[in-house]
Structures are given as structure tokens and as C-alpha cells.
Amino acid sequence: MILSLGFVSALQTTLIGVFAGYYLSGSLFDEIGQRALMVAKTVAAAPSVIEGIRQRDIEALNLLASRLAHTNEALFIVIGDHQAVRLAHPSAERIGHSMADDDGDDGRRALIDGESYVARAEGSLGDSMRGKAPVIEPDSGEIIGIVSVGYGVDQVNATIERYSIVLYSVVGLALLISILIAIVIAGRFKRAIFGLEPEEIARLFQERDATLQSVREGIIAINRDGIITTVNRTALETLGLDPHTPLAGRPILEILPESDLLSVLESGTPDFDREVWLRNRQMIVNRLPVRQGVDIIGVVASFRLRDEVDQVSRQLTRIQQYADTLRSQTHEYSNKLHTIAGLIQIEAYEDALNLIGSEVSDHQALIHLLLDAVPDPVIAGCLLGKYNRAREMGLHLHIDPESRMTDIPADMPRDQLVSVLGNLIDNALEATRQQVGEGGRIQLSMTDLGHELIFEVEDQGPGIPENARQKIFEKGVSTKKGDTHGYGLHLVSQFLNRWGGSVTVDDLPGKGCRFTLYLPKTSKGRDNH
């Protein structure tokens, strides 16, 4: 860059210098020529010159010419008659000879045409710029002679040389300043690009592009004006956009009106692991402001579908649920088997048979209820697991036999519905166990009549103060002690917001509270919410 800028500056200043020198030289020659012409006209109009030519007073004319040449700093002043024969000349031996002997110009333009003009010629006194003017008789208007005034080219060249020194000094200084400016610009530019050379920048750009395309998360970057600058292929796929859609250079709100990137751009606060909805898809998003010094120049967001994150989580959750169910059933049936074995040992056969029959009838009744009222296997499996979990905790989960949940919308995500319902039941179990202990009762009723799915979960816990009923749905807020609580009801709130549902919290007579969940079946019902 230094060489390029220096070369351009040198070329420009050289061209300017050559042009200025050429223009200066031409201007000075023109100026000297005009000066010679003006002096020649002045001398030709002098009465003493006219009278000297008329009288052919050679001595007087030479004295006059010599004095005028000295006064006007001219190289020479030559005076001739109407035939261009010299009457006055710095060299006495040339007097009486034709003026054409010096420069080949016989003065015809002045003597015949009456024209005053400038000419450059090499004469006996050297190379000079000459101004020639006719001498005209004032009374008759007759041309009676000619005056030639010359200024030596050496004089002009000396003046040009003097001005050229100044000119080329300025040009050299301008060139030096240009080179220094080029060095400063190149230095600042290099610092701005972290000291990298163009080839390194190109390589890093290719590496960055390959890295972006290889990342399994979608990545979008915007500048300080909210314009998309970077987007990778995964982002297009994750957002369900055409892979050939050009996004760079378009406003982020035009592509993702629900995006919060501009708020991060204004606040400068990073945002990690935020659950959002983009283009009707649930995402896990990380947003990070890009800074240059203290200025925020953009934001980079990485995101991926919540389903991908949940897939692993669901697998782990299912394994945990299976383990919990098996553990609770193993513990429960181990106790029942020990009891039955004891009854048989004391020969209380009838009591043993009644206990076996009661156990079988309870499970059979629950299974028949779930098969009839909740044909969806995911929800039925969740309720069966929670029933066994309650029994392990010494509690009883009672499902209203009048419950019915058969008209669940096909587009409602079953895993999220199970998560919401399971969180409400788990909270009810925990609250009841802490308040009542063993023997506590949790009531669940469900109905799909009308335009909504309604779930009611009642517990025998301590209840929830009225001033805390809105805050318990905020992330990290819980009535329980510990840092691991405060997320279940937040997930419930998020699902309801996305699905257009609602939840109410009411106190029960005595103690305990009731959570009632409303979920619209149709999109129209969701819009009304």
C-alpha cells in the first residue's frame, strides 16, 4: 500500500511539476515577448526616433538606442530605415547592413503590412525574443523605419531556472508529504485489520466461511443499523427459508419481525440460552454484542431448534422416568409381597387374598379409566407414572372417573403437554407431602368438552398467597427452598403463552389450592387469547 500510494503520489506530483514547469516556461517566454513588443512600440513612437530616422542621424539614434536598452534591461535595440538597413545597433560594424543578415527576417511584416509582432530568432547577439514595430510618420502616416527590441533567451532561462527551483522544491516537499501520509494511512489501516496482510485476510475469510457453514447451529450477524451481514446455511435450514434466499444486506426485522437482536444492540447486554419463537419454531438462542473499543458495532446470534436440545433431554427424562417407575414399583410390590408372605405364614389366607384382589382391582380400574378417558398413550403413560410416584411417596393421586380427554388437537406437541401436566402434578405431590405427609390426596380432573381442554389439579398443600400468584410463573421464583426450584411453572407459563392458553390459581376450602389449565383447541381460540 505504501509503494502504491507513493507511486501514485510521485506520478501525480511529477506530472503536475512537469506541467507547471512547461506552463511557466511558456508563460515567461510570452511575457518577455510581449514586453519586447511593448518597448518596441514605445521606441517606434518616440519623436526623437522618428526625427533621427528622417534625418538619418546615426549617432543620435545609437545613443538613444543604447540608453533605452539599458533603461528597459533589453539585450539590444536595433533601429532600421524603411529598407530595413540598420541605423542603430550595439555593434558599430553592423550599422549600414540589412537587418535580415542577423535572423533572416527582413522586417517585411512591419515595413510593408505595418504589423507589430513578436519573433524568436538566433542573431549576431545570440538567441532572443524580439518585438518588432514599424516607425510611422505622424503627418503622412508613411512607414519610414522599423524598431527591433530583443531580450536574450538566457535571461528568460535564468528566470525560469530561478522559479523552477522553487517549483520543484514545492513538488518534492509535496511528494515527501504524500509518502508520509501514505505511511500513516497504511499504518492505521493495518492496525484496523489487526496487522494482517491482504493474503492473510483472504485466507481467514475463507476459513471463517468454512467454519460458519460447518457449525450445526444457525448463525446470524447484524451491523449497527440492523442490517444482516452474515448468515450460514444452517440458519436458513433452521428457519425454514429457501437456501438460495439472499439475506445479506436486508434488515433483520424484514426477515424475522419477532427478533430481539435490536434490543441487544441498544443495551449491549449478552443474552444466553433464551427460549424464543422464531417463524413458529421454538429456538434456544444466544445473542452476543460485537464491540469495537467501547462502541457496539453489531450483534451475533446463534440458535438451534428447541426440539434438538429437548431430544436428548427427553431421552434422559424417559430413562429417569422408567427408572423411577421401576424403582417405585419394585419398592411397593416388595412391601406388598412381604405383607402377603406374612399373612400366609400366619395362615390369614382370606386377608392375603383380599389384599391381592384390592391391588389388582386398583390397577385394573386405573388402567381401564385411562384407556377409556385418555386414549393418547403418551398422556396415559405420564398419568400412570405419576400415580405410581404418588403411591411411593405415600400419597394418593385420584383421577376423576368422569374425566375425558379424547379430543386433543393433532398439532399440539404431546411432549410439551406432558411436561406441563407433569410439572403441575409434581408440584401438587410435593406441596401435599410437605403439608400433610403420608395419606395426602391429590385430585386430577380433565375435560375436553367445548372449545378448550381443561385440566384441574388440586392439592392439600399450604396454598399460595394471592400476592405471589403471578410471580410464581417467573423463572427462578418458587415457594420452595433451594436453587433448583422455580423452573416448572415457568415452563408452564411459556407453553401457555405460545399456545394461547391460560391458568388460574384458587384457594380450596380448608387448605390447599387448585391450578386450572385452559388450552384452546382451535387456532381461532388461540388468537382470541
Side-chain angles (χ1 to χ4, degrees):
M1 181 173 289
I2 295 173
L3 290 176
S4 299
L5 292 176
F7 174 76
V8 171
S9 299
L11 182 61
Q12 288 179 335
T13 52
T14 301
L15 290 175
I16 292 173
V18 170
F19 173 77
Y22 176 79
Y23 182 78
L24 174 64
S25 176
S27 297
L28 284 175
F29 275 108
D30 289 343
E31 182 181 350
I32 294 296
Q34 293 301 317
R35 182 178 179 183
L37 182 61
M38 181 179 64
V39 173
K41 288 181 178 180
T42 302
V43 173
S48 56
V49 172
I50 297 173
E51 182 62 26
I53 293 175
R54 185 187 301 124
Q55 299 295 330
R56 298 188 71 83
D57 189 348
I58 295 175
E59 184 178 356
L61 289 174
N62 276 277
L63 289 173
L64 181 60
S66 176
R67 187 174 67 253
L68 292 174
H70 178 74
T71 302
N72 291 280
E73 298 180 350
L75 178 63
F76 62 84
I77 294 178
V78 176
I79 301 174
D81 61 11
H82 65 283
Q83 293 181 343
V85 174
R86 298 188 190 96
L87 298 178
H89 192 279
S91 298
E93 66 271 12
R94 294 186 176 274
I95 296 175
H97 298 280
S98 175
M99 296 175 66
D101 294 343
D102 282 344
D103 55 12
D105 184 2
D106 58 2
R108 183 180 299 272
R109 292 171 59 185
L111 294 173
I112 297 177
D113 300 332
E115 179 184 355
S116 298
Y117 61 95
V118 177
R120 179 176 177 177
E122 180 77 31
S124 60
L125 298 178
D127 192 7
S128 62
M129 293 294 298
R130 305 179 181 192
K132 296 187 178 185
V135 179
I136 301 174
E137 178 70 46
D139 297 332
S140 62
E142 178 185 359
I143 297 174
I144 62 174
I146 182 172
V147 175
S148 177
V149 178
Y151 284 88
V153 172
D154 291 341
Q155 293 175 283
V156 180
N157 288 336
T159 304
I160 292 174
E161 184 177 354
R162 187 170 63 253
Y163 283 112
S164 296
I165 292 174
V166 177
L167 172 64
Y168 289 118
S169 297
V170 173
V171 169
L173 181 61
L175 176 60
L176 179 60
I177 293 174
S178 299
I179 294 175
L180 292 176
I181 292 175
I183 294 174
V184 172
I185 292 175
R188 294 192 62 180
F189 185 78
K190 194 165 185 177
R191 285 195 298 272
I193 58 176
F194 305 102
L196 299 174
E197 294 295 335
E199 296 80 6
E200 295 174 310
I201 296 174
R203 185 173 65 253
L204 287 176
F205 178 80
Q206 293 173 343
E207 291 176 357
R208 189 210 68 156
D209 188 61
T211 302
L212 284 176
Q213 301 305 330
S214 65
V215 172
R216 295 293 302 275
E217 289 192 347
I219 296 177
I220 290 181
I222 63 172
N223 61 16
R224 69 181 72 196
D225 299 319
I227 304 300
I228 298 174
T229 57
T230 302
V231 60
N232 67 347
R233 186 167 46 248
T234 307
L236 297 175
E237 296 173 353
T238 304
L239 295 173
L241 297 172
D242 185 354
H244 302 291
T245 301
L247 296 187
R250 299 173 64 181
I252 184 65
L253 295 182
E254 178 183 325
I255 306 301
L256 300 172
E258 61 273 56
S259 173
D260 289 333
L261 287 181
L262 295 183
S263 62
V264 178
L265 188 65
E266 294 176 0
S267 66
T269 304
D271 195 6
F272 299 106
D273 297 327
R274 174 68 63 86
E275 296 183 18
V276 300
W277 282 80
L278 298 174
R279 295 180 64 85
N280 297 322
R281 299 183 179 193
Q282 190 178 16
M283 309 279 185
I284 302 295
V285 179
N286 295 293
R287 306 183 183 98
L288 190 68
V290 180
R291 298 180 182 272
Q292 187 175 42
V294 297
D295 298 327
I296 299 175
I297 61 173
V299 179
V300 176
S302 63
F303 52 91
R304 66 188 309 163
L305 290 172
R306 171 66 187 270
D307 295 342
E308 297 179 10
V309 179
D310 286 347
Q311 185 175 1
V312 177
S313 177
R314 284 197 300 268
Q315 292 176 353
L316 295 175
T317 301
R318 288 171 184 168
I319 294 173
Q320 182 65 40
Q321 288 177 346
Y322 296 152
D324 289 344
T325 302
L326 290 175
R327 180 167 55 82
S328 62
Q329 289 183 347
T330 299
H331 181 72
E332 180 182 358
Y333 284 112
S334 177
N335 291 333
K336 295 292 178 61
L337 288 175
H338 290 155
T339 303
I340 293 172
L343 291 173
I344 293 175
Q345 287 176 358
I346 63 175
E347 298 181 356
Y349 304 116
E350 185 174 352
D351 291 335
L353 290 174
N354 290 335
L355 180 59
I356 294 172
S358 173
E359 182 66 24
V360 172
S361 63
D362 286 347
H363 274 81
Q364 289 297 323
L366 176 61
I367 291 172
H368 283 301
L369 172 62
L370 294 177
L371 289 175
D372 292 338
V374 189
D376 190 292
V378 177
I379 299 177
C382 172
L383 295 178
L384 183 59
K386 297 302 179 184
Y387 176 83
N388 291 327
R389 174 66 175 162
R391 296 190 62 177
E392 181 190 5
M393 297 170 66
L395 306 174
H396 180 64
L397 174 60
H398 180 262
I399 301 177
D400 188 347
E402 300 297 326
S403 294
R404 183 174 182 82
M405 190 59 59
T406 60
D407 190 17
I408 302 176
D411 58 341
M412 180 176 288
R414 300 300 193 270
D415 57 332
Q416 296 184 31
L417 178 59
V418 165
S419 176
V420 169
L421 187 57
N423 278 320
L424 292 179
I425 295 175
D426 286 339
N427 286 344
L429 292 174
E430 187 67 25
T432 301
R433 184 177 67 171
Q434 290 181 1
Q435 185 71 20
V436 179
E438 292 190 8
R441 181 184 180 89
I442 297 90
Q443 178 78 24
L444 171 65
S445 62
M446 305 172 288
T447 179
D448 58 1
L449 297 177
H451 300 292
E452 294 179 313
L453 307 181
I454 302 176
F455 298 87
E456 290 186 352
V457 180
E458 300 178 359
D459 61 46
Q460 294 180 323
I464 300 175
E466 188 171 353
N467 59 359
R469 291 179 184 176
Q470 292 299 325
K471 293 184 178 180
I472 59 174
F473 293 98
E474 297 177 5
K475 188 175 183 179
V477 177
S478 175
T479 58
K480 307 169 190 175
K481 296 181 179 180
D483 297 333
T484 59
H485 302 293
Y487 295 94
L489 292 180
H490 175 66
L491 294 176
V492 172
S493 175
Q494 282 193 317
F495 176 73
L496 293 177
N497 290 336
R498 292 192 299 270
W499 198 258
S502 60
V503 61
T504 60
V505 183
D506 302 301
D507 286 329
L508 294 176
K511 54 185 174 181
C513 67
R514 178 194 300 116
F515 281 79
T516 306
L517 201 66
Y518 301 91
L519 295 173
K521 295 181 182 179
T522 62
S523 58
K524 182 177 180 181
R526 296 167 210 162
D527 295 339
N528 291 336
H529 278 73

